[in-house]
Amino acid sequence: MKNRLKVLRAERNWSQSDLADRLGVSRQSVNAIETGKYDPSLPLAFTIADVFEMSIEEIFDPKG
């Protein structure tokens, strides 16, 4: 699944570790989501949307 996580993170000048701390996951998990190697669980997707104050659909593209 394609996502805008890396771009959104960069716009805020957050490292992968910064985002991982905000999400309560490992830096490796953030990296795996950004590179499309791992699709987040629904609860994690909601948390990501909350952190960026966006809807899930604005961050993730299920067609990708």
Side-chain angles (χ1 to χ4, degrees):
M1 176 181 325
K2 289 188 179 185
N3 65 74
R4 300 178 50 218
L5 208 57
K6 186 173 183 176
V7 171
L8 295 170
R9 181 177 57 76
E11 289 174 352
R12 289 157 180 79
N13 293 314
W14 293 346
S15 67
Q16 287 183 340
S17 293
D18 292 334
L19 179 55
D21 289 344
R22 286 173 162 79
L23 297 174
V25 300
S26 69
R27 184 204 58 79
Q28 291 87 349
S29 293
V30 170
N31 180 270
I33 294 168
E34 284 184 356
T35 59
K37 294 180 179 158
Y38 171 74
D39 290 335
S41 65
L42 189 55
L44 180 54
F46 274 108
T47 301
I48 292 168
D50 286 343
V51 165
F52 288 106
E53 298 179 341
M54 302 175 86
S55 69
I56 291 174
E57 296 84 1
E58 291 175 297
I59 300 171
F60 295 97
D61 180 6
K63 298 173 191 157

